[in-house]
């Protein structure tokens, strides 16, 4: 009641969406529709809500999401011009490649996110853990696929981010190139 221009209703719709988002499964379409009604046709806000919906679908079924979901997320990231969203959905494609046994593609995709995440983590500590996780996975995928140069690049990033210990002995016996 203290917020102008329907802000209270908007805040309640967002809160209800976030409460429905927690836990297994996905938030109901009605919760998304209620938030959508308060976006006033603002393209960036509508795109952000669609990114959140795709993330919800992936988080709600981490073993069953599709490449189409991740590719749709990449298209939204491009429309938004948001490197964090771009990195997230690229990492989802890397996860799918790993799951499908395509280690070179998983490594290529994961390694491609590292410059974005390195820059984002430098500018905003909120990205630090995502950058560390991505570098760890990229190093592992690259090493498993025989790309030791890529594994070392990812390991160097982990070192810069203060998490070199995450790789343990992964690269200890790897031949230098």
């Amino acid at each position: 009641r203290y917020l102008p221009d329907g802000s209270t209703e908007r805040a309640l719709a967002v809160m209800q969406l976030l409460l429905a988002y927690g836990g297994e499964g996905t938030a109901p379409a009605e919760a998304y529709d209620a938030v959508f009604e308060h976006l006033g046709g603002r393209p960036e806000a509508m795109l952000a809500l669609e990114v959140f919906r795709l993330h919800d679908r992936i988080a709600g079924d981490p073993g069953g999401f599709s490449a189409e979901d991740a590719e749709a997320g990449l298209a939204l990231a491009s429309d938004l011009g948001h490197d964090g969203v771009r990195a997230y959905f690229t990492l989802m494609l890397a996860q799918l490649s790993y799951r499908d046994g395509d280690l070179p593609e998983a490594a290529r995709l994961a390694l491609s996110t590292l410059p974005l995440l390195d820059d984002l983590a430098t500018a905003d500590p909120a990205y630090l853990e995502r950058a560390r996780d991505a570098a760890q996975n990229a190093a592992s995928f690259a090493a498993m696929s025989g790309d030791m140069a890529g594994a070392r690049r990812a390991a160097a990033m982990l070192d810069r981010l203060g998490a070199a210990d995450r790789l343990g002995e992964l690269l200890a016996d790897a031949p230098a190139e």
Side-chain angles (χ1 to χ4, degrees), residues 9-18 29-40 42 45 49:
E9 292 84 10
R10 181 175 53 241
L12 287 173
V14 170
M15 183 179 72
Q16 289 173 340
L17 173 60
L18 292 174
E30 298 81 32
Y32 285 99
D33 294 344
V35 172
F36 187 83
E37 289 178 19
H38 294 284
L39 297 181
R42 291 175 294 151
L49 183 62

Side-chain angles (χ1 to χ4, degrees), residues 3 26 37 44 51 65 92 97 107-109 118 158-159 162:
L3 301 173
T26 59
E37 289 178 19
E44 188 172 283
V51 165
F65 71 93
M92 294 301 99
S97 294
R108 184 191 71 74
L109 288 165
D118 201 8
L158 265 178
D159 188 38

Side-chain angles (χ1 to χ4, degrees), residues 15-116:
M15 183 179 72
Q16 289 173 340
L17 173 60
L18 292 174
L19 289 172
Y21 167 77
E24 292 184 27
T26 59
E30 298 81 32
Y32 285 99
D33 294 344
V35 172
F36 187 83
E37 289 178 19
H38 294 284
L39 297 181
R42 291 175 294 151
E44 188 172 283
M46 293 186 312
L47 289 170
L49 183 62
E50 289 309 307
V51 165
F52 190 78
R53 187 187 310 253
L54 280 170
H55 170 72
D56 187 14
R57 186 172 17 221
I58 290 169
D61 188 8
F65 71 93
S66 70
E68 290 78 19
D69 289 334
E71 289 165 357
L74 280 174
L76 290 169
S78 179
D79 291 345
L80 279 170
H82 196 287
D83 286 340
V85 175
R86 183 176 293 112
Y88 172 77
F89 286 108
T90 301
L91 289 169
M92 294 301 99
L93 286 172
Q95 181 180 331
L96 288 172
S97 294
Y98 173 74
R99 185 177 71 196
D100 294 343
D102 189 349
L103 290 172
E105 182 65 0
R108 184 191 71 74
L109 288 165
L111 288 166
S112 76
T113 69
L114 298 186
L116 294 174

